[in-house]
């Protein structure tokens, strides 16, 4: 089921890609024709030049847009950190989250005082700052 | 050749007097004007349809990723003998029919029963899918599957309206869909993030209440109370505090309504105050992790537990106070942000203030940490009732 659905998604993007590539090819043809027409029919050459440039810029724009969309389609897993503390001596360390960690889980002995260490916090780090909109 | 001839003749038809470029531009202007005059709304609709289509593809991708992560986690943790894919697909299509409300008397207990049956059924399914998993992992897997189920449902509803809009070419169906899409996408992305957190057993933003309760009860003996909750008796500011939270560290919200009722009944209603701590939805512009105080039962969900708590406190005339940690829907279901984790100490201070200001020394108070306790444990030593 999953394979079918993902192939459907790919099919659409291939379809879009082929249209864009055809338009791109036609725009190149228009530009070549413009060069050929220039000595005999300069007016026609200008039209072809305009059409060629517009078609080329549109297809390049769509290509970039679809690349951006594909990049946006990734589910990014945030970096989750685990804080470990020794309640006796106050020794604290932060490491990346490991499956099986939970808040108030007892861990191995403290490096400094040999007392048991516990997980005191598990949180994700959010890098980007929220916009304030000045209100 | 025909095209060349047309290009030479057409400008004269539109009365062009300038050079060839201005003639062609004025011709283009008229064509665009006429096209927009007759087909403007249709073009607008196609633009909207394309926008919805793009989001629908994204939703489909998120939904499929959710399904993939779920199956992988089940295989990794549950060590099933057969491929769980078919069973997961069946699970994703599960539905719950809410009770008839024509005669609303007693509907809360009917809904409560249906939710109990649903919970038992889903847990049983998870146990079959992942036979090697323990109780904590079963709860986490159930939460993972529920997030995948939510993503599947969102995708299907949006696809339904998209197809309906395309079939009927109704601008209004498409327009409504396009207008709500940013909020729907935000929710879907939040569930996608939740899915990974549930699969790994990480605390989520909704666990702000259980985190505070766990901090308060840490170092004290806990005992089980119905249903899926634990309570610890803790001396606090010269009062006796009964701290309640869902039993962790598996993904579980418990039934705080039943737990509060049980503790109040045990104390024959002699409780000076009930203080509820929960994650509250923030408005745009408010800061994540901001702490606010109020009155009432701070608890979300279908309303069954809120009803039970309100019913019990009204019976014994117990004041009901609330402290909330503000966050948005995305923060509530994704791994807990540092701001929320750090706010637990502020909440404890606010709770102590409420106790000092609203109760007398020697009184009994109940403090309930409401929310999903995934990734948040409590004192290991337990004394079963």
């Amino acid at each position: 089921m999953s394979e079918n659905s993902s192939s459907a998604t790919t099919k659409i993007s291939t379809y879009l890609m082929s249209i864009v590539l055809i338009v791109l090819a036609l725009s190149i043809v228009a530009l070549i024709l413009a060069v050929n027409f220039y000595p005999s029919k300069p007016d026609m050459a200008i039209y072809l030049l305009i059409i060629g440039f517009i078609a080329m810029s549109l297809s390049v724009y769509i290509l970039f847009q679809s690349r951006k969309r594909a990049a946006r389609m990734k589910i990014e897993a945030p970096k989750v950190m685990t804080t470990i503390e020794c309640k006796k001596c106050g020794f604290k360390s932060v490491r990346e989250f490991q499956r099986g960690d939970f808040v108030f889980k007892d861990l191995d002995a403290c490096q400094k005082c040999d007392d048991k260490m516990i997980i005191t916090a598990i949180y994700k780090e959010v890098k980007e700052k929220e916009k304030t909109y000045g209100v | 050749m025909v095209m060349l001839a047309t290009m030479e003749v057409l400008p004269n038809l539109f009365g062009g007097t300038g050079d060839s470029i201005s003639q062609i531009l004025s011709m283009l202007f008229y064509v665009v004007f006429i096209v927009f005059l007759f087909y403007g709304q249709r073009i607008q609709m196609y633009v909207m349809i394309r926008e919805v289509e793009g989001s629908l593809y994204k939703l489909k991708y998120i939904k499929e990723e959710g399904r993939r992560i779920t199956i992988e986690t089940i295989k990794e943790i549950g060590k099933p003998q057969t491929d769980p894919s078919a069973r997961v697909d069946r699970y994703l299509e599960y539905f719950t029919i809410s009770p008839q409300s024509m005669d609303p008397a007693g509907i809360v207990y009917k809904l409560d029963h249906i939710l109990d049956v649903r919970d038992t059924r889903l847990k049983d399914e998870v146990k079959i899918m992942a036979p090697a998993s323990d109780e904590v992992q079963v709860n986490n897997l159930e939460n993972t599957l529920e997030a995948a189920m939510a993503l599947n449902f969102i995708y299907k509803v949006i696809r339904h309206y998209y197809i309906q809009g395309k079939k009927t070419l109704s601008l209004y169906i498409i327009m409504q869909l396009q207008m709500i899409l940013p909020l729907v996408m935000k929710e879907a992305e939040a569930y996608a993030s939740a899915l990974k957190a549930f699969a790994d057993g990480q605390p989520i933003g909704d666990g702000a209440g259980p985190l505070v309760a766990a901090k308060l009860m840490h170092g004290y003996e806990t005992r089980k109370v119905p249903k899926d909750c634990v309570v610890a008796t803790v001396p606090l500011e010269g009062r006796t505090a009964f701290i309640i939270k869902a039993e962790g560290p598996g993904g579980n919200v418990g039934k705080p309504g039943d737990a509060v009722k049980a503790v109040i009944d045990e104390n024959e209603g002699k409780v000076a105050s009930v203080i509820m701590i929960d994650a509250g939805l923030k408005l745009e512009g408010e800061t994540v992790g901001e702490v606010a105080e109020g009155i009432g039962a701070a608890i979300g969900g279908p309303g069954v537990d809120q009803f039970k708590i309100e019913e019990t406190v009204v019976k014994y005339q117990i004041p009901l106070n609330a402290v909330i940690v503000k966050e948005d829907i995305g923060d509530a279901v994704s791994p807990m942000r540092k701001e929320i984790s750090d706010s637990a100490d502020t909440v404890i201070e606010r709770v102590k203030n409420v106790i000092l200001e609203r109760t007398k020394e020697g009184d009994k108070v109940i403090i309930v940490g409401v929310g999903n306790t995934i990734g948040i444990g409590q004192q290991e030593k337990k004394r079963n009732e």
Side-chain angles (χ1 to χ4, degrees):
Chain A
M1 184 192 150
S2 172
E3 276 171 26
N4 289 346
S5 331
S6 31
S7 69
T9 319
T10 333
K11 205 185 277 174
I12 295 297
S13 60
T14 322
Y15 175 69
L16 179 80
M17 194 67 79
S18 56
I19 290 175
V20 171
L21 288 177
I22 289 167
V23 174
L24 196 68
L26 285 175
S27 67
I28 292 167
V29 170
L31 290 175
I32 294 167
L33 279 177
V35 174
N36 287 342
F37 268 122
Y38 191 71
S40 54
K41 288 185 175 175
D43 285 358
M44 183 54 61
I46 288 169
Y47 299 142
L48 286 169
L49 204 68
I50 293 169
I51 291 166
F53 269 121
I54 291 172
M56 187 177 265
S57 43
L58 271 175
S59 48
V60 169
Y61 173 74
I62 292 169
L63 263 178
F64 272 101
Q65 282 294 308
S66 55
R67 275 179 70 90
K68 253 189 204 171
R69 190 178 295 169
R72 258 187 270 140
M73 274 231 210
K74 279 177 191 160
I75 302 173
E76 279 181 27
K79 201 174 179 186
V80 179
M81 308 306 290
T82 300
T83 307
I84 304 160
E85 268 182 71
C86 173
K87 288 283 173 191
K88 197 178 170 189
C89 70
F91 175 72
K92 196 174 171 181
S93 76
V94 179
R95 61 157 166 82
E96 234 175 281
F97 176 86
Q98 290 166 4
R99 186 176 273 177
D101 282 358
F102 62 84
V103 180
F104 294 123
K105 182 185 183 183
D106 288 327
L107 295 176
D108 299 335
C110 173
Q111 300 166 13
K112 289 188 176 172
C113 68
D114 255 17
D115 201 48
K116 266 194 176 176
M117 292 184 83
I118 57 161
I119 294 175
T120 51
I122 297 170
Y123 54 83
K124 76 169 168 187
E125 283 178 336
V126 182
K127 290 265 156 54
E128 77 270 19
K129 265 201 145 187
E130 264 183 64
K131 268 188 178 177
T132 52
Y133 297 98
V135 281
Chain B
M1 283 301 286
V2 178
M3 196 179 145
L4 291 177
T6 320
M7 281 185 143
E8 277 169 20
V9 173
L10 269 176
N12 299 328
L13 288 175
F14 289 94
T17 50
D19 60 358
S20 307
I21 293 176
S22 58
Q23 279 175 351
I24 202 121
L25 283 176
S26 66
M27 188 183 82
L28 265 174
F29 174 77
Y30 283 117
V31 170
V32 168
F33 180 75
I34 290 163
V35 167
F36 270 92
L37 196 69
F38 291 105
Y39 297 102
Q41 203 182 53
R42 188 160 281 216
I43 291 168
Q44 192 187 358
M45 195 171 71
Y46 281 123
V47 169
M48 283 183 192
I49 285 177
R50 222 181 116 58
E51 206 176 306
V52 174
E53 207 174 64
S55 300
L56 200 58
Y57 278 122
K58 197 172 177 186
L59 279 177
K60 191 177 186 179
Y61 170 79
I62 294 174
K63 177 203 80 151
E64 280 169 7
E65 273 295 291
R67 180 182 173 276
R68 187 187 59 78
I69 292 170
T70 309
I71 293 170
E72 272 177 14
T73 314
I74 289 172
K75 281 180 182 171
E76 201 182 323
I77 296 172
K79 310 268 184 300
Q81 300 294 314
T82 53
D83 184 18
S85 307
R87 223 178 173 103
V88 168
D89 288 336
R90 218 176 68 190
Y91 190 107
L92 295 182
E93 298 296 328
Y94 270 8
F95 57 85
T96 308
I97 302 168
S98 55
Q100 182 51 254
S101 58
M102 276 195 294
D103 178 11
I107 194 168
V108 175
Y109 293 96
K110 284 188 210 167
L111 181 61
D112 193 23
H113 173 67
I114 284 174
L115 292 174
D116 279 348
V117 174
R118 178 182 185 270
D119 191 46
T120 313
R121 173 88 190 262
L122 295 185
K123 274 205 174 85
D124 289 346
E125 281 283 336
V126 175
K127 280 174 194 163
I128 294 168
M129 273 188 258
S133 51
D134 58 28
E135 203 59 38
V136 170
Q137 287 165 336
V138 165
N139 283 339
N140 291 354
L141 285 175
E142 193 198 353
N143 281 202
T144 312
L145 278 156
E146 290 216 32
M149 210 193 253
L151 286 172
N152 189 45
F153 183 71
I154 292 172
Y155 168 71
K156 282 190 163 191
V157 171
I158 298 297
R159 186 183 62 178
H160 166 77
Y161 285 110
Y162 164 75
I163 294 173
Q164 205 176 48
K166 249 188 142 175
K167 261 187 187 172
T168 56
L169 278 181
S170 161
L171 176 71
Y172 299 100
I173 294 177
I174 295 292
M175 204 186 249
Q176 285 184 62
L177 197 56
Q178 191 249 1
M179 284 193 287
I180 60 157
L181 258 181
L183 300 175
V184 173
M185 293 310 290
K186 196 177 172 187
E187 200 165 325
E189 276 160 17
Y191 276 116
S193 183
L195 206 112
K196 195 83 188 68
F198 288 139
D200 290 341
Q202 295 164 347
I204 56 169
D206 187 44
L211 179 66
V212 174
K215 282 197 169 193
L216 284 169
M217 65 168 60
H218 185 64
Y220 294 91
E221 204 171 62
T222 61
R223 62 188 164 94
K224 285 188 181 186
V225 278
K227 190 194 164 195
D228 296 335
C229 286
V230 287
V231 61
T233 311
V234 177
L236 196 71
E237 304 291 338
R239 284 83 170 156
T240 306
F242 298 98
I243 320 283
I244 299 171
K245 76 180 270 289
E247 191 178 10
N252 176 27
V253 289
K255 286 182 117 185
D258 289 340
V260 169
K261 189 177 183 306
V263 175
I264 291 177
D265 287 343
E266 271 172 22
N267 291 281
E268 293 155 344
K270 286 169 191 145
V271 173
S273 181
V274 174
I275 304 165
M276 299 187 73
I277 306 152
D278 196 8
L281 218 54
K282 81 173 182 79
L283 297 172
E284 288 296 343
E286 287 183 315
T287 324
V288 177
E290 206 178 290
V291 179
E293 249 173 73
I295 303 296
I299 185 164
V304 174
D305 288 287
Q306 186 174 0
F307 179 88
K308 285 180 183 171
I309 291 168
E310 286 167 353
E311 200 181 38
T312 316
V313 294
V314 166
K315 186 181 168 191
Y316 294 106
Q317 289 297 300
I318 304 167
L320 193 56
N321 296 289
V323 179
I324 59 160
V325 179
K326 293 188 180 180
E327 52 195 82
D328 70 20
I329 178 75
D331 299 322
V333 294
S334 58
M336 189 180 278
R337 281 175 67 157
K338 194 170 189 307
E339 296 94 320
I340 300 169
S341 178
D342 292 345
S343 71
D345 294 328
T346 319
V347 174
I348 290 172
E349 285 312 308
R350 297 288 275 269
V351 168
K352 281 181 182 171
N353 276 346
V354 173
I355 290 173
L356 286 170
E357 288 166 10
R358 305 267 150 222
T359 62
K360 295 191 294 290
E361 219 168 311
D363 276 348
K364 288 173 182 171
V365 291
I366 295 175
I367 300 168
V368 197
V370 179
N372 194 325
T373 190
I374 188 162
I376 303 163
Q378 57 277 322
Q379 186 74 357
E380 292 291 304
K381 208 172 117 196
K382 286 171 204 161
R383 185 189 73 203
N384 288 335
E385 273 190 317

